[in-house]
Amino acid sequence: MSISWRVPAVLMAGLIPVVIWPSPLTVTAWSVLVVVAVLVDFLLAPSPHQLTVERSDPAPIRVGEESVSTVTVTGPKRMRAQMRDAWQPSAGARNNRHSFSLTPNEPRQLTTVLAPTRRGRLAGDHVTIRSWGPLRLAAKQVSFRVDSVLRSLPEFPSRKHLPRALAKLQQVEGQALARRRGQGTEFDSLREWVEGDDVRSIDWRATARLDEGIIVRTWRPERDRHIAMVMDTSRLAAVRLGNITRLDAQMDACLLLGAVCAKAGDTVSFLAGDQSVRASVIKPGRRDILRELSHAMTPLDAGIIEADWTALANSVTALGTKLSLIVILTPIEPNVLDEDLLPVLVNLAKRNSILIASAVDPETSASPELYESVSDVYQAAAVARTSLRRQAAATALQQLGITVVEDTPEQLPMRVVDHYLDLKARGLL
C-alpha cells in the first residue's frame, strides 16, 4: 500500500473539529474515520497485477546524446495511475515519473529521456506502477521486471575535426578546388605540361601524337590499402588523462581514423586486447566502419593486467601480409617497451609501416614557485625523469623506422590522421 499527501492533509484538517469539540473522543473518531477512508480507497483501487507492461529497447546512442525509453501499458480496467521507469544511474533517466489515466484495452505509451554518462550496456530496472483509489488517498503498487538494454556507444569528440580531415584528404587526392597533383602511383589522367611538373611524368607517346605541347600523366594516391589498428586494453589504458581514461582517448583516435580511411577508399581492421584479443572488426564495409567500430568498443574496459604483445602481434599477422600501415595505440612505457613490445615491433617493422599513437596527460607539471612541500618537488622530479626516459625510448623507435606520435587526448586523433594522409600523399602506403 502507498498513501498520498492527502492523508496527512486530511488528518491536519481534523484540528477544526478538535478545536470546536476538544475531547479525546473527537481525536479518536477523526483518526478512525481517516483510517477507514484510506482502507476503503485502497480496496476500491484497481489492481495493477492485471496490467501488461512492455518496454522497447532504446536506440543505441553515443555518450552525451539522448535516446528515449518507451513503456507501453495496457489493462482491462479504467484507472488513474503513476509509473516510474527506473534505469541504472549512469543511463541518465530524466522525468521518468509519469501520471496517466488508462482506458480499458487501449495501450498507453509513456516515454522517458535517457542521456547516458558512460559507455557500455546500461540495463533498465523495474517499472513500478501505482493504481490510485477514487479518493486518491491510497494506492496499490506493483513492480514489473521488464528487461531492456541501452547500448551507450563510445563518445566521439574528435568528430569536430572530421570536416578538416576530409578537406585535407581532398587535397591529397587532387579533388579540391585548389587542385594539386597527388604523389601516388595509380594513373589518374593526362594534361598539358605546366611549369614545375616532374619531367619523369611526361607521357612521350601522348606528346608524339600532338603537333605541339607536352603531355604529362597525373597520379592519384593508392586506394584499397589495408590499415590495421591495434588498441591496448591493459592496465596502461586505465590511466586517467584529465577527465577521461586513456582507453577512451584511444577509441576516439580509432573512430576518426576509421572514418577518414573509409572516405579515402581504404580498408580497415581493428583489434583490441591485452592477454588476448577482446574485440575485433575485420574489413567492414566502408559505410559500416563507424557503426561496427563503435559496437565493438562499447563493452571494452581496461584490465588490470599486462598486455601480451606476442599474442597480439600474431593476431595482426593473421590479418595478412599486405598491411600498408599498422597503428598501435599504446603509451610509450620504457619498461614495457624493453621487455615485451620492442621485439614485436622489430619483427612487424620488417614488412609494414608502423605508427605508435600515445595519449599523454594534458596537465603540465607545476612551476617551482607553486611547490608547496618537499613531496611536490620529489613528484615533479619523478615526472621529469619519466618524461626523459619516454623521450629516449621514442627516439630509439624512430631510429628503427617506427613513427611515434604523442599528444593530448584532444589533439591525438588529428595527429594520427595527419600522419596517415602524409603517407598517402607521398605514395608510401
Side-chain angles (χ1 to χ4, degrees):
M1 173 190 291
S2 298
I3 61 174
S4 69
W5 60 269
R6 291 178 173 82
V7 175
V10 172
L11 286 173
M12 293 298 295
L15 293 175
I16 298 176
V18 169
V19 171
I20 299 175
W21 301 287
S23 69
L25 181 61
T26 304
V27 175
T28 304
W30 186 262
S31 300
V32 171
L33 178 64
V34 172
V35 171
V36 170
V38 170
L39 291 176
V40 171
D41 198 47
F42 174 76
L43 294 175
L44 294 177
S47 174
H49 287 283
Q50 303 175 0
L51 299 177
T52 301
V53 180
E54 298 176 349
R55 178 165 54 192
S56 59
D57 288 337
I61 55 170
R62 298 193 181 278
V63 174
E65 299 178 354
E66 292 186 352
S67 185
V68 174
S69 167
T70 302
V71 177
T72 304
V73 181
T74 309
K77 295 182 179 180
R78 184 182 302 275
M79 68 173 63
R80 290 177 295 178
Q82 289 180 329
M83 185 198 75
R84 178 175 179 264
D85 184 10
W87 287 79
Q88 64 183 86
S90 54
R94 299 201 308 264
N95 301 323
N96 62 336
R97 289 172 171 81
H98 307 274
S99 298
F100 64 97
S101 298
L102 189 64
T103 303
N105 300 320
E106 290 188 9
R108 180 67 185 270
Q109 291 187 339
L110 306 167
T111 59
T112 299
V113 177
L114 303 177
T117 57
R118 73 170 181 86
R119 168 180 49 83
R121 292 172 57 88
L122 309 180
D125 208 335
H126 292 78
V127 174
T128 302
I129 295 182
R130 290 178 180 176
S131 174
W132 294 100
L135 301 177
R136 302 294 297 274
L137 296 176
K140 297 177 181 178
Q141 178 173 305
V142 175
S143 293
F144 297 87
R145 180 66 182 179
V146 185
D147 294 329
S148 185
V149 174
L150 169 65
R151 293 181 63 89
S152 179
L153 306 178
E155 193 174 5
F156 190 10
S158 64
R159 180 185 295 173
K160 61 185 178 183
H161 298 306
L162 192 56
R164 181 159 60 97
L166 295 181
K168 288 186 176 182
L169 175 63
Q170 287 182 334
Q171 290 182 344
V172 169
E173 294 185 335
Q175 295 175 353
L177 294 178
R179 185 180 180 87
R180 74 176 188 182
R181 176 174 173 266
Q183 300 298 319
T185 58
E186 293 186 4
F187 174 72
D188 184 25
S189 61
L190 296 173
R191 61 173 174 81
E192 292 186 2
W193 164 279
V194 296
E195 185 177 355
D197 283 338
D198 191 341
V199 295
R200 293 173 296 180
S201 298
I202 298 176
D203 189 320
W204 296 107
R205 292 186 178 180
T207 301
R209 288 195 294 267
L210 295 178
D211 295 335
E212 55 184 21
I214 300 176
I215 303 301
V216 296
R217 295 180 179 181
T218 60
W219 312 89
R220 68 180 180 185
E222 297 84 347
R223 287 176 170 264
D224 200 22
R225 293 301 186 258
H226 192 184
I227 312 300
M229 298 183 291
V230 183
M231 190 173 69
D232 181 9
T233 62
S234 67
R235 62 176 180 84
L236 299 177
V239 176
R240 294 200 67 84
L241 306 176
N243 296 325
I244 63 174
T245 64
R246 177 174 282 130
L247 181 64
D248 292 325
Q250 294 174 167
M251 290 180 180
D252 190 27
C254 287
L255 290 172
L256 183 63
L257 179 60
V260 176
C261 289
K263 193 67 176 179
D266 290 331
T267 303
V268 173
S269 290
F270 168 79
L271 299 175
D274 33 62
Q275 291 289 319
S276 60
V277 175
R278 297 173 55 193
S280 63
V281 177
I282 310 300
K283 296 183 178 180
R286 290 168 185 165
R287 295 183 178 180
D288 302 328
I289 284 181
L290 281 180
R291 179 175 59 84
E292 294 291 337
L293 290 178
S294 298
H295 283 274
M297 295 174 181
T298 296
L300 292 178
D301 287 311
I304 312 302
I305 53 177
E306 298 290 344
D308 185 350
W309 286 106
T310 301
L312 294 178
N314 291 336
S315 299
V316 173
T317 305
L319 296 176
T321 57
K322 296 182 179 181
L323 294 176
S324 298
L325 176 63
I326 301 177
V327 180
I328 301 177
L329 296 107
T330 186
I332 303 297
E333 290 291 333
N335 294 333
V336 176
L337 181 66
D338 295 339
E339 296 176 5
D340 301 318
L341 185 55
L342 187 58
V344 170
L345 293 176
V346 171
N347 290 330
L348 290 177
K350 293 179 180 178
R351 293 186 177 182
N352 308 282
S353 297
I354 297 181
L355 168 65
I356 296 181
S358 173
V360 296
D361 196 339
E363 297 182 359
T364 58
S365 59
S367 60
E369 293 79 6
L370 300 179
Y371 296 155
E372 297 180 354
S373 63
V374 176
S375 62
D376 291 341
V377 178
Y378 280 108
Q379 183 177 0
V383 170
R385 182 173 181 271
T386 302
S387 178
L388 290 175
R389 292 184 62 197
R390 191 170 62 245
Q391 291 175 5
T395 302
L397 288 173
Q398 290 172 352
Q399 292 174 350
L400 295 174
I402 300 172
T403 305
V404 177
V405 172
E406 288 186 302
D407 215 323
T408 62
E410 182 179 356
Q411 300 298 328
L412 181 65
M414 198 61 202
R415 290 282 304 278
V416 173
V417 169
D418 285 341
H419 178 74
Y420 161 75
L421 293 177
D422 182 61
L423 293 178
K424 201 170 186 67
R426 292 187 291 155
L428 298 180
L429 286 182

